[in-house]
Amino acid sequence: MLTLVGPEGAGKSHLGAIWAGVSGAITLRGEALNDESVEACGRAYAVLFEDADRAVQSEALFFHVINIALQNDVWLLLTCRAAPDAWGLNTPDLLSRLRLAPVVRLAAPDIELTEAVLFKLFSDRQLQVEPRVVAYIALRIERSLGAAREIVAMLDNEALTQGRRVSRAMASDALREMASKSEAP
């Protein structure tokens, strides 16, 4: 069992999908945990458990999944936004088992990675954006892949609406709009 912790957009699901493909793992989701999930875990060789921190609504089922995985030597990769101690679990034995797993933390991307991601996202949308504009954006957005996706989508829409290339002024307006959304109650 391994717990992969990181902020939204840090790449947990991407890494988990690669691991699941290589290991032949089934995928369970924390918010969709049910009796069938428990049964599937018992038949699996490996399990990718996405958003494990969202399974707290089904602690009993989650506890069964962990126990079955441990009893049957099932490889288990948990992805979550915070370590298990921060989930507010009410089942001490569940928390105890989760604490057995090593925790790998994915940090927010640095400036170089943020720029590379922005270039990739713009390229995916067939937008050519000057490096100085990408650098300007990378210095000012929240360091997450989710924020990068959001700003690129906004700028793509704005460039289409205005019939112009993405400019520094356009990026500045989009950043201001993103900031006002995050400050809204």
Side-chain angles (χ1 to χ4, degrees), residues 110-125:
D110 62 14
I111 192 72
E112 291 82 14
L113 180 56
T114 302
E115 285 183 14
V117 165
L118 286 166
F119 276 117
K120 164 96 172 68
L121 293 171
F122 281 125
S123 175
D124 288 349
R125 291 173 176 260

Side-chain angles (χ1 to χ4, degrees), residues 121-122 124-129 149-166 170 174:
L121 293 171
F122 281 125
D124 288 349
R125 291 173 176 260
Q126 300 172 349
L127 291 170
Q128 292 182 342
V129 180
R149 283 188 204 102
E150 182 180 353
I151 191 78
V152 168
M154 288 174 71
L155 289 169
D156 184 18
N157 185 48
E158 193 60 29
L160 283 171
T161 300
Q162 292 184 21
R164 300 182 349 187
R165 292 180 64 155
V166 174
M170 193 183 293

Side-chain angles (χ1 to χ4, degrees), residues 39-51:
E39 291 172 19
C41 183
R43 295 185 305 269
Y45 171 75
V47 175
L48 169 61
F49 198 124
E50 287 272 30
D51 299 320

Side-chain angles (χ1 to χ4, degrees), residues 55-129:
V56 296
Q57 302 299 326
S58 306
E59 276 191 46
L61 290 173
F62 191 12
F63 189 49
H64 289 308
V65 165
I66 299 296
N67 281 337
I68 287 172
L70 293 174
Q71 289 168 1
N72 295 330
D73 291 325
V74 172
W75 294 94
L76 186 59
L77 175 60
L78 307 172
T79 67
C80 48
R81 292 186 182 136
D85 285 322
W87 298 356
L89 295 170
N90 296 313
T91 309
D93 288 342
L94 173 59
L95 184 56
S96 167
R97 282 166 181 72
L98 290 169
R99 285 178 176 157
L100 293 173
V103 174
V104 175
R105 296 184 188 280
L106 296 179
D110 62 14
I111 192 72
E112 291 82 14
L113 180 56
T114 302
E115 285 183 14
V117 165
L118 286 166
F119 276 117
K120 164 96 172 68
L121 293 171
F122 281 125
S123 175
D124 288 349
R125 291 173 176 260
Q126 300 172 349
L127 291 170
Q128 292 182 342
V129 180

